Amino acid sequence: MTAEEFEAAVSDALDMVPVDLTRLMDNVVILVEDSPPDDEPELLGLYEGTPLTDRDLGWATGSLPDRITIYRLPTLAICEDAEQVAEEVAVTVVHEIAHHFGISDARLHELGWG
């Protein structure tokens, strides 16, 4: 799968997120990169920032946007076809957006979004 096709899968996954939820997202960018950090080679996605639940009134002053990064190469490595890639990307996007809203990995696993 080309980088462009993978980016389209990420875009499609974002389109599946309800508009009411995406409207609540604040100061966050979604990025696609080929590889995760060297110390986590199997990582499919990463949220970096301050979850909405941890922000106070003065938080935004001078703050850089939060980052959600979806990693292409490890995703492709665990998927057999484009359909699996689309499914895995959708799960990863939801998982990382949930972190933006302050939902922990433990809670995501309880909800079936491992």
Side-chain angles (χ1 to χ4, degrees), residues 95-111:
H95 185 104
E96 302 311 327
I97 288 173
H99 288 320
H100 177 66
F101 284 97
I103 301 171
S104 70
D105 278 331
R107 182 66 179 137
L108 285 166
H109 286 279
E110 289 172 10
L111 295 170

Side-chain angles (χ1 to χ4, degrees), residues 1-49:
M1 176 176 276
T2 67
E4 292 79 18
E5 291 168 331
F6 188 84
E7 287 178 14
V10 172
S11 180
D12 291 345
L14 288 167
D15 287 344
M16 290 188 289
V17 177
V19 173
D20 290 343
L21 192 59
T22 58
R23 284 186 187 141
L24 296 173
M25 294 174 64
D26 183 44
N27 201 35
V28 61
V29 296
I30 313 289
L31 305 169
V32 174
E33 293 184 7
D34 277 342
S35 301
D38 290 337
D39 60 337
E40 297 186 80
E42 296 178 4
L43 193 65
L44 304 182
L46 180 64
Y47 169 74
E48 299 171 285

